[in-house]
Amino acid sequence: MKKFLFLLVFIPFLAGAQSNTADIAKALNAGNADALGSYFDESIELSILEEEGIYNKAQALQKVRKFMTQYKVTGFAEVHQGASRSSDSQYVIGNLTTSDGTFRVYMYLANTNGKMIIQEFRFDSE
């Protein structure tokens, strides 16, 4: 009975977290930096090619917008996804296809108030 109650409490959390990653993937697929930025934490570790640092949400959004303007996004394909044992954090690895080539994307997300928020985001050349 305890296992059943645990599942009743835990499944809605997983469903919510999964829908966040699906929405994040949709934003990447569409090249929509603003939609993507809505999932950024207030402070985010951001790496775009050779430039990396810790930025506030507005600065990170500006840098991602610039990247997506420079490299027109044509699609995003998730390659791998995983979660911590406690399910309070996840990571997503995928390929972002652009007009100028493909980039490897890495995201680290953490559960903040029941919503998965991006705390680390990377664009690396392949």
Side-chain angles (χ1 to χ4, degrees):
M1 183 67 171
K2 286 183 183 179
K3 288 182 182 180
F4 179 70
L5 289 175
F6 174 77
L7 287 175
L8 285 177
V9 171
F10 193 65
I11 287 176
F13 167 75
L14 284 177
Q18 298 248 343
S19 68
N20 282 1
T21 57
D23 291 342
I24 291 168
K26 284 180 191 174
L28 277 168
N29 194 48
N32 187 338
D34 292 319
L36 184 63
S38 69
Y39 293 97
F40 286 176
D41 201 348
E42 292 305 313
S43 176
I44 181 171
E45 186 177 336
L46 179 66
S47 175
I48 300 177
L49 304 177
E50 300 299 319
E51 181 183 351
E52 57 184 75
I54 298 174
Y55 304 99
N56 68 38
K57 187 174 187 172
Q59 292 170 321
L61 179 56
Q62 182 180 27
K63 291 185 178 294
V64 170
R65 258 194 221 120
K66 182 180 175 185
F67 174 83
M68 289 186 168
T69 300
Q70 183 178 355
Y71 300 97
K72 302 289 185 205
V73 176
T74 58
F76 174 75
E78 185 179 299
V79 175
H80 190 70
Q81 181 179 22
S84 65
R85 288 185 182 184
S86 62
S87 296
D88 62 349
S89 63
Q90 304 183 255
Y91 67 92
V92 176
I93 300 171
N95 293 321
L96 184 73
T97 309
T98 72
S99 57
D100 292 328
T102 301
F103 297 90
R104 177 70 77 172
V105 174
Y106 169 84
M107 292 176 278
Y108 174 80
L109 303 96
N111 183 5
T112 304
N113 299 323
K115 182 178 179 184
M116 295 308 279
I117 301 295
I118 301 171
Q119 293 186 334
E120 183 180 346
F121 198 82
R122 301 182 63 87
F123 292 102
D124 294 323
S125 59
E126 285 201 320

